[in-house]
Amino acid sequence: MTQYVRDIMTGHPVTVEPQTSVTAVARIMRDRDLGAVLVTDGDELRGLVTDRDLVIRSVAEGGDPERTTVVGACSDDLVTVRSDDELDHAVELMRDHAVRRVPVVDDGRPVGIVSLGDLAMERDPESALGDISVARPNP
């Protein structure tokens, strides 16, 4: 049976505007237990930022995280998929571009994110990555 991106993606992605501070984004990630958020300008996808991006591209550079905006930390050379793309296409893109998360965009608007963890839970839930992906962090 053919699987589609919509079958496993995380829908209703959290988005932030490009001028949102790094500190505000980090707090959103902490409070919502997220590893990535999408950066949008209105309905237009501008980038994707991960917790690692915030550390490597912002905090490690020594800027003031209250004044540094997320646009400088986000990945803006994105590959995207549509929700009606076959899941195998998403896997191929992730492999070819060496990325762990791919925004899902329909009609020019971000509608979700598909991640390596989503794929692991769907395709090999007994794997270490599958186990880790479904586990809730200890407080």
Side-chain angles (χ1 to χ4, degrees):
M1 181 172 124
T2 303
Q3 289 185 297
Y4 298 94
V5 169
R6 68 177 166 264
D7 298 330
I8 71 158
M9 73 179 196
T10 300
H12 308 290
V14 173
T15 63
V16 296
E17 292 287 322
Q19 297 309 311
T20 307
S21 75
V22 167
T23 300
V25 174
R27 287 183 181 135
I28 290 168
M29 289 178 167
R30 178 199 62 201
D31 295 346
R32 297 192 183 190
D33 190 27
L34 299 171
V37 298
L38 298 179
V39 180
T40 57
D41 194 354
D43 285 340
E44 182 183 348
L45 179 64
R46 292 278 307 271
L48 178 143
V49 66
T50 67
D51 44 6
R52 185 175 192 278
D53 291 335
L54 294 180
V55 171
I56 301 299
R57 296 181 181 162
S58 187
V59 175
E61 295 297 319
D64 178 353
E66 290 286 343
R67 294 184 186 188
T68 303
T69 62
V70 72
V71 74
C74 72
S75 299
D76 57 4
D77 57 341
L78 299 176
V79 291
T80 63
V81 293
R82 295 185 327 261
S83 64
D84 62 355
D85 282 342
E86 290 187 15
L87 198 51
D88 288 340
H89 175 65
V91 171
E92 184 179 319
L93 281 176
M94 293 170 86
R95 182 180 295 124
D96 290 349
H97 294 274
V99 294
R100 295 180 176 108
R101 297 173 180 93
V102 176
V104 182
V105 178
D106 287 340
D107 299 320
R109 299 178 68 193
V111 296
I113 298 175
V114 63
S115 71
L116 188 60
D118 296 331
L119 291 167
M121 288 186 309
E122 178 63 27
R123 296 216 166 157
D124 192 6
E126 300 302 317
S127 70
L129 183 55
D131 284 345
I132 292 166
S133 297
V134 297
R136 304 300 320 155
N138 290 328

